[in-house]
Amino acid sequence: MQQYEPERLSPARAAAVRRSLRSGRAALTRRSLLRTATGGALAAGGLGALTGCGIPAAGKSEGGVPAEDHSKDEKQVRFSNWTEYMDVDDSGRRHPTLKAFTERTGVEVTYTEDINDNSEFFGKIQPQLAAGQETGRDIVVLTDWLAARLIRLGWVQKLDPANLPHAFANLSPQFRTPDWDPGRAYSYPWQGISAVIAYNKKALDGTEVTSVSDLLDDPKLKGRVGFLTEMRDTVGMMLLDMGKDPARFSDDDYDAAIDRLQKGVDRGQIRRFTGNDYTSDLSKGDLAACLAWAGDVVQLKADNPDIDFVIPDSGYVTSSDNMLIPNKARHKTNAERLIDYYYEPGPAAELAAYINFVCPVDGVKDDLAKLDEEAADNPLIIPDQAMQAKSHSFRSLSAEEETACEEKFAKLTGA
């Protein structure tokens, strides 16, 4: 179990945090294109918390040791999630799937949308977890890299498979074996986030785009191509295009990917690196094609018939937001019951119909078709086996590797 030592962010990693909050995954659309991150929160407290200022180094962590479970006596579960990441009824105040869970189990869910950014949220819960204290939460939803960090630090509880029969049986194969949590002993995906190639058919004017190489090498696209500000998505797609596995790349592979992207910048082929602000440029045709997040593409296609996407033959990068139970959580069994509930096809379909991200639950298509046939047939929401086979994950990075990778990426993007 790794001991936690508060670390100061290198300039490159600090820039990456700000970049993500401003225009990257922190600003990624959940239900619509209106979702934005709260930049002031990180500037005021999140980044400072990450540096560890005033927080003493933790001793040996109590991670992985179940706390006293009050689930039988306290029929509740406290759930922290990202904004616009849950189904909502017409009133905009109630969540139908959570209401149905409570009616079935008698367990009340205190649902809080208090995650705007991974790093900012880590700053909120880090002091309690480092001190072996309760966070006031039973479930948190964190993206792969931060979920990996908490598991590595021993700050989340191991899940009881006996309470997760649907999750164990219905988890999609493409999400089953992340290198940071083999066998999903500590986490289950809430939703998947895929990076694909999106394009504007009118702006392409007959030019064919099927690969990242097309984005970089076709002179007809010069100055009308976009890549993402998220390092893992852009470099991961670049590695795949080069025949490398983003789950197993070397330092030389990474450098080669950066060098190839740099040539695209130097030639003026790449217009810019963007967060989800590419959506406006793509819709208008200022960008003819770009790397894009699947959740955005679903919405864009619904609004603009000229927008479409392609999955390169080389594959695409998928990450996930994951449910975890922090140390000292008071209602572990209730939390596991709620996790398992969202792996039943019915609730999973209701959620997918509303938020339109990659559903990590197998066997949900028929239930989703009853609610939304178009969503059920959309491979960006329900990937078929062929598409699942093309999905790749970006491997876990050590703190030293992340610093080095972000420094090189920041230099490339001018961040």
Side-chain angles (χ1 to χ4, degrees), residues 59-101:
K60 185 176 180 181
S61 169
E62 297 181 27
V65 179
E68 183 179 356
D69 191 352
H70 298 269
S71 292
K72 289 185 178 180
D73 300 326
E74 300 175 5
K75 298 294 186 180
Q76 61 177 289
V77 60
R78 300 159 301 175
F79 187 176
S80 281
N81 204 348
W82 296 71
T83 58
E84 303 293 337
Y85 218 11
M86 179 67 76
D87 56 308
V88 180
D89 66 9
D90 291 340
S91 74
R93 296 189 300 271
R94 288 179 291 274
H95 306 290
T97 56
L98 291 177
K99 180 182 178 183
F101 173 79

Side-chain angles (χ1 to χ4, degrees), residues 341-357:
Y341 168 75
Y342 278 106
Y343 275 81
E344 296 179 25
E350 290 187 59
L351 185 64
Y354 188 84
I355 63 177
N356 294 163
F357 273 71

